[in-house]
Amino acid sequence: MAYFDAASAAPLHPVARQALLASLDEGWADPARLYREGRRARMLLDAAREAVAEAVGCRADEVVFTSSGTRAVHAGVSGVLAGRRRVGRHLIVSSVEHSSVLHSAEAHEADGGTMTRVAVDRSGAVDPASYAVALRPDTALACLQSANHEVGTVQPVAEVAEVCRAAGVPLLVDAAQSLGWGPVAGGWSVLAGSAHKWGGPSGVGLLVVRKGVRFAVRGPADERESGRAAGFENIPAIVAAAASLRAVRAEADREAERLRELTERIRARVPRLVPDVEVVGDPERRLPGVVTFSCLYVDGEALLHELDRAGFSVSSGSSCTSSTLTPSHVLKAMGVLSEGNVRVSLPPGTAEEDVERFLQVLPGAVAGVREKLGAPTPAVAAAVQRDELVVDALGKRCPIPVIELAKVIGDVPVGGTVRVLSDDEAARLDIPAWCEMRGQEYVGEEQAEKGTAYLVRRTG
Amino acid sequence: MAYFDAASAAPLHPVARQALLASLDEGWADPARLYREGRRARMLLDAAREAVAEAVGCRADEVVFTSSGTRAVHAGVSGVLAGRRRVGRHLIVSSVEHSSVLHSAEAHEADGGTMTRVAVDRSGAVDPASYAVALRPDTALACLQSANHEVGTVQPVAEVAEVCRAAGVPLLVDAAQSLGWGPVAGGWSVLAGSAHKWGGPSGVGLLVVRKGVRFAVRGPADERESGRAAGFENIPAIVAAAASLRAVRAEADREAERLRELTERIRARVPRLVPDVEVVGDPERRLPGVVTFSCLYVDGEALLHELDRAGFSVSSGSSCTSSTLTPSHVLKAMGVLSEGNVRVSLPPGTAEEDVERFLQVLPGAVAGVREKLGAPTPAVAAAVQRDELVVDALGKRCPIPVIELAKVIGDVPVGGTVRVLSDDEAARLDIPAWCEMRGQEYVGEEQAEKGTAYLVRRTG
């Protein structure tokens, strides 16, 4: 059994467990009280704040403990937007931010604010010049993640921070995916993190607001955590978060090197082991433990299920998983294939054997799903050839439209076209991505009587 | 060493500790994921929700886990106010609610809403008829605590719920202080609770919203907990909260009887052991473990410090404690003495010997503080008598103004007056309370050149 979904939540680090246990008896009282139990709780809280500040590279009084990373992002975005309201109500985010940032941005828009989404390249990275273009005199805040949670691409935070600094605009960095690996470089203004991503306990987020950044708390007043995080402090969990951050940092360099080698194997070998695969994300500037790929003609949920049965826990940005019916906004923004998408995110300590076993199991799992779906195989021979074929995939979900397209492309002559009718949102992303992967020409889409028609010209 | 501040935070119940430990290894994954670890986490979360629903007396799908009781109150108040905005923007709260409710109400007022504060009697209880008077056609929500956190008085929730129901207005009950003792009776609509008040861990609040209550989430979208509590679920803590609620409930009847007897001893004996004491709160309709009293001529912080040195952790609603400079809004609303205020709140399991030892230590602690402050003693003889005396206590903090008043009242003849000049907010509450306790006539206050002049007529 191997858990390969650390980017979603990491198992509790042994040091976090120890610290949590040790502080359950010392840290339950109200740290605002002056009696013995309150003073002990206050001491634990202060020590945890110092430890986190050191790991983040900031002052202790700039650190606020929230109840989750999501809360840290919500409070950070709304706090700066409110604090700088006189400057204006324009917000900049990258198009591949975590949903907590994007939902904050949408709430801001719903409240009458304006927003610019900065595009990314095919590797998932932003260009600092795009932030320079997006900045306006009324820009109150810009947001950029330190590294992407779905494909692992590391963002040019220091460069974007410099661009923002020059314009006098604070940059909020969602550092949830990278904080366990090291501090965020550059002149950022606000930072958010989440303990359960680095092996700390659930229930602890970090919000760091540099001195001098205008910040106004929204919502009902609360005296705790500088008024920036309402609710009784969860001190045992905060202590465990701080202790585990220190512990994972101590192992970070060695472990990063080891995981990077393991994910490099997956990056290199998956395309050789599995036909019709696209590995996505930046091959160099990336998180050590994350590798993401998409498999043509595969239903993401079915593949996850096969891998789970084989003992591997991974996640997917495909549209056909669990409750979601649209593909991951990250894969969409990158313009890469979303069908049969698999994110492997190795927790520190992952055994080499488990990665090797994953590479053994994966080809069979993919082949099994493809077989069930009736996906095309190289053996399928072209039959009658007509100049234009229409594939009616209306009412059929990803990856069926692409499978049907692949089955008939050989039936039209080179130069002929296939017209795929589909009402599945994922087709808009996956048909062009398939064309790029297979060297066919994607002509474009047009409104059909029902759904959308996607035109593909056979070029080879 | 005895911890007598359970109303602030209770030490972790042994069952909470066991459940927390047991679920650290099972409950860290994302319960929205379909793989093994996610399914296990989901099962734990579902089971905890069922257990809490049973203890509260509601449906499982009405229970939302928040990160604290404060968050539950904030979300509950803002959610109902937003959901019923078309009805109107009038909110009713009692004047002795917890600060989380009052701060929510203040935020609502700052946002253009209106608010009525329902007064309480000298015991701290509201009259259901006052809610009937306060209800208006545009009332969106009424709030009432199940029992008061500072003086322990139990509120007539069922009667107020009935009054609200008749008017078609939902009642939100802050049940933080009573949920460990039993479910809240009556037809309430929304309920809030806090696990660390019943011996559960920090980091878990409860928000229960009955089906049919209009509710609209404020702030950025988040898919977890029916969209009503943003952030990754803290499942080990939630499991521990549910398990400990069940455990404390199993012991509640027996323990309530035992603690009630112990607090009854304090209620009865403190006024005999310590001169010039007022025991506050309802003597009958009250929480089993809470008793509150105020000591004339005593500085609350100094008394807390003395008691802490003697091994007792209690809290105070006096103005002169830690960071606060105004007396507790609860004592103020009740119109009782706030100086030298002590709240004793016994956690379940409190040993009888500890209570006895507290009663032994208290008289000496009070006398020590009074001596240091130069408080009047019965031995002080009256000297020259004048018809009117002025006491200049400007710049002096509680309890000095009352001490100075007490020292000179014997210096004016019966019928004569003392004029106390003070700029301490606590004097407004404590001088009338002193008059009531000592059988002197409080004439009233008037604006003075500096501060306020409080007029007292000697009647005996």
Side-chain angles (χ1 to χ4, degrees):
Chain A
M1 306 298 229
Y3 177 78
F4 285 175
D5 198 24
S8 168
L12 200 64
H13 191 284
V15 166
R17 174 183 259 274
Q18 285 162 21
L20 186 65
L21 292 191
S23 55
L24 282 178
D25 294 328
E26 300 279 316
W28 51 270
D30 184 345
R33 301 290 178 181
L34 300 177
Y35 45 66
R36 193 178 59 253
E37 294 85 353
R39 295 193 305 268
R40 278 201 313 231
R42 166 64 54 194
M43 279 172 60
L44 288 175
L45 182 58
D46 289 347
R49 202 182 305 278
E50 291 285 348
V52 163
E54 199 191 319
V56 168
C58 66
R59 293 165 42 154
D61 61 358
E62 293 171 334
V63 175
V64 167
F65 293 109
T66 66
S67 59
S68 67
T70 295
R71 284 284 187 191
V73 166
H74 290 179
V77 172
S78 71
V80 177
L81 287 174
R84 289 178 41 89
R85 197 178 166 128
R86 284 192 192 176
V87 171
R89 303 201 66 201
H90 179 237
L91 171 66
I92 302 174
V93 299
S94 89
S95 53
V96 294
E97 294 298 311
H98 186 263
S99 58
S100 58
V101 174
L102 295 180
H103 289 159
S104 293
E106 285 153 15
H108 176 62
E109 271 193 315
D111 190 37
T114 56
M115 181 197 356
T116 300
R117 283 175 204 257
V118 171
V120 294
D121 62 22
R122 214 175 148 78
S123 80
V126 301
D127 179 350
S130 308
Y131 272 77
V133 170
L135 284 162
R136 310 192 317 211
D138 65 337
T139 303
L141 175 67
C143 301
L144 178 62
Q145 62 197 189
S146 57
N148 186 267
H149 51 296
E150 288 194 32
V151 300
T153 300
V154 168
Q155 302 290 357
V157 168
E159 294 86 338
V160 171
E162 184 50 35
V163 164
C164 291
R165 197 202 53 74
V169 171
L171 178 69
L172 180 148
V173 178
D174 167 13
Q177 289 297 331
S178 74
L179 214 52
W181 298 112
V184 175
W188 49 267
S189 301
V190 181
L191 180 142
S194 174
H196 77 106
K197 304 281 191 194
W198 70 64
S202 307
V204 182
L206 292 186
L207 171 63
V208 180
V209 182
R210 293 276 195 204
K211 290 288 154 205
V213 176
R214 281 186 186 276
F215 197 96
V217 178
R218 308 284 292 266
D222 191 281
E223 72 282 7
R224 289 163 286 208
E225 291 296 302
S226 327
R228 291 173 179 178
F232 192 79
E233 298 93 339
N234 188 350
I235 294 177
I238 288 169
V239 169
S244 55
L245 180 55
R246 199 188 276 249
V248 297
R249 283 290 186 80
E251 305 152 359
D253 287 351
R254 206 184 50 221
E255 195 58 24
E257 195 177 341
R258 212 176 62 80
L259 292 188
R260 185 172 287 278
E261 195 277 319
L262 294 177
T263 48
E264 192 48 51
R265 284 192 211 185
I266 299 174
R267 289 190 75 86
R269 281 164 59 189
V270 162
R272 298 206 297 266
L273 293 166
V274 180
D276 300 323
V277 156
E278 181 176 14
V279 178
V280 298
D282 195 295
E284 297 299 328
R285 286 178 56 93
R286 61 183 180 88
L287 290 169
V290 178
V291 53
T292 303
F293 52 86
S294 299
C295 310
L296 266 180
Y297 321 135
V298 166
D299 160 0
E301 183 153 334
L303 182 55
L304 257 49
H305 183 65
E306 284 302 313
L307 290 171
D308 178 47
R309 290 206 325 164
F312 293 97
S313 301
V314 297
S315 78
S316 172
S318 290
S319 60
C320 25
T321 48
S322 66
S323 56
T324 173
L325 287 175
T326 50
S328 133
H329 69 275
V330 173
L331 302 177
K332 214 163 155 177
M334 291 165 67
V336 297
L337 186 72
S338 82
E339 69 183 39
N341 178 260
V342 171
R343 177 186 67 188
V344 172
S345 55
L346 308 178
T350 296
E352 184 181 355
E353 308 88 85
D354 285 340
V355 171
E356 285 298 328
R357 203 163 53 79
F358 177 76
L359 289 169
Q360 279 166 25
V361 159
L362 183 69
V366 172
V369 173
R370 283 179 174 162
E371 199 182 320
K372 274 184 210 149
L373 291 171
T377 61
V380 169
V384 195
Q385 297 208 342
R386 279 181 290 172
D387 267 12
E388 167 154 330
L389 272 175
V390 175
V391 171
D392 179 356
L394 290 167
K396 289 179 181 148
R397 287 275 175 68
C398 144
I400 300 299
V402 173
I403 288 178
E404 297 300 323
L405 164 62
K407 276 185 184 164
V408 303
I409 189 77
D411 296 351
V412 296
V414 171
T417 55
V418 178
R419 204 177 161 80
V420 185
L421 299 175
S422 173
D423 49 11
D424 179 12
E425 179 60 26
R428 177 160 292 122
L429 180 58
D430 289 340
I431 290 176
W434 178 88
C435 292
E436 179 145 342
M437 285 176 73
R438 309 315 302 254
Q440 307 295 349
E441 184 192 347
Y442 178 64
V443 180
E445 66 170 71
E446 50 192 50
Q447 193 62 37
E449 200 176 331
K450 277 187 179 176
T452 305
Y454 298 93
L455 261 68
V456 176
R457 181 170 296 122
R458 181 176 172 190
T459 53
Chain B
M1 305 300 231
Y3 177 77
F4 285 176
D5 198 23
S8 167
L12 199 64
H13 192 282
V15 166
R17 173 183 259 273
Q18 285 161 24
L20 186 65
L21 292 192
S23 55
L24 282 177
D25 294 329
E26 301 278 316
W28 53 269
D30 185 345
R33 301 289 178 182
L34 299 176
Y35 45 65
R36 197 178 56 254
E37 294 84 354
R39 295 193 304 268
R40 278 203 312 231
R42 167 64 56 193
M43 279 173 57
L44 288 175
L45 182 58
D46 288 348
R49 201 182 306 279
E50 291 284 348
V52 163
E54 199 191 318
V56 168
C58 66
R59 294 165 42 155
D61 61 358
E62 294 171 336
V63 175
V64 167
F65 293 110
T66 65
S67 59
S68 67
T70 294
R71 284 284 188 191
V73 165
H74 290 178
V77 171
S78 71
V80 177
L81 287 174
R84 289 177 44 87
R85 199 178 162 124
R86 284 190 191 176
V87 172
R89 302 201 68 202
H90 179 236
L91 170 66
I92 302 173
V93 299
S94 89
S95 52
V96 293
E97 295 297 310
H98 185 263
S99 58
S100 58
V101 174
L102 295 180
H103 289 158
S104 293
E106 285 153 15
H108 176 62
E109 272 193 315
D111 189 38
T114 56
M115 183 203 346
T116 300
R117 284 176 202 253
V118 172
V120 294
D121 63 21
R122 212 174 149 81
S123 81
V126 301
D127 179 350
S130 307
Y131 273 76
V133 170
L135 285 161
R136 309 193 316 211
D138 66 336
T139 303
L141 174 67
C143 301
L144 178 62
Q145 63 198 185
S146 57
N148 186 266
H149 52 297
E150 287 194 33
V151 300
T153 298
V154 169
Q155 302 290 357
V157 168
E159 294 84 338
V160 171
E162 184 50 35
V163 164
C164 291
R165 198 202 53 74
V169 171
L171 179 69
L172 180 149
V173 177
D174 168 14
Q177 288 298 330
S178 74
L179 214 52
W181 297 111
V184 175
W188 49 266
S189 301
V190 181
L191 180 141
S194 174
H196 77 106
K197 303 282 190 194
W198 70 64
S202 307
V204 182
L206 293 185
L207 170 62
V208 180
V209 182
R210 293 279 196 200
K211 290 287 155 205
V213 175
R214 280 186 187 280
F215 197 95
V217 177
R218 308 284 290 268
D222 190 281
E223 71 281 9
R224 290 162 286 206
E225 290 297 302
S226 326
R228 291 172 180 178
F232 192 80
E233 297 92 339
N234 188 351
I235 295 179
I238 288 170
V239 169
S244 55
L245 180 55
R246 200 188 275 248
V248 297
R249 284 290 187 82
E251 305 152 357
D253 286 353
R254 205 184 50 224
E255 194 59 23
E257 197 177 338
R258 213 176 62 79
L259 292 189
R260 185 171 287 279
E261 195 276 319
L262 293 177
T263 48
E264 191 50 50
R265 283 191 213 183
I266 299 174
R267 288 192 75 86
R269 282 165 54 190
V270 162
R272 297 205 298 265
L273 293 167
V274 181
D276 300 322
V277 157
E278 181 176 14
V279 178
V280 299
D282 194 296
E284 297 298 328
R285 286 179 56 95
R286 62 186 178 86
L287 291 168
V290 178
V291 53
T292 304
F293 52 86
S294 300
C295 309
L296 267 180
Y297 320 134
V298 167
D299 158 1
E301 184 154 331
L303 182 53
L304 257 50
H305 182 66
E306 285 301 312
L307 290 170
D308 178 48
R309 291 205 327 162
F312 293 96
S313 301
V314 296
S315 78
S316 171
S318 289
S319 60
C320 25
T321 49
S322 65
S323 55
T324 172
L325 287 176
T326 50
S328 134
H329 68 274
V330 172
L331 302 177
K332 212 162 157 177
M334 292 165 66
V336 296
L337 186 72
S338 82
E339 68 182 41
N341 179 259
V342 171
R343 176 185 68 186
V344 172
S345 55
L346 306 178
T350 297
E352 184 183 353
E353 307 86 85
D354 285 339
V355 171
E356 285 299 328
R357 203 163 51 81
F358 176 76
L359 288 169
Q360 279 165 24
V361 160
L362 181 70
V366 172
V369 174
R370 282 179 175 162
E371 199 182 320
K372 272 185 213 151
L373 291 170
T377 60
V380 169
V384 194
Q385 298 207 342
R386 279 180 290 172
D387 265 12
E388 169 158 325
L389 272 176
V390 176
V391 170
D392 180 355
L394 289 167
K396 291 181 181 149
R397 287 275 176 68
C398 143
I400 302 298
V402 174
I403 289 178
E404 296 300 323
L405 164 62
K407 277 186 183 165
V408 303
I409 190 77
D411 296 350
V412 297
V414 172
T417 55
V418 177
R419 203 178 162 80
V420 184
L421 299 175
S422 172
D423 48 13
D424 179 14
E425 181 60 25
R428 178 161 290 121
L429 179 57
D430 289 339
I431 291 176
W434 178 89
C435 291
E436 180 147 340
M437 286 175 74
R438 310 314 304 251
Q440 306 295 349
E441 186 192 347
Y442 177 64
V443 180
E445 66 171 71
E446 51 193 48
Q447 193 63 38
E449 201 177 330
K450 279 186 179 175
T452 305
Y454 299 92
L455 260 68
V456 176
R457 180 169 296 121
R458 182 176 173 190
T459 54

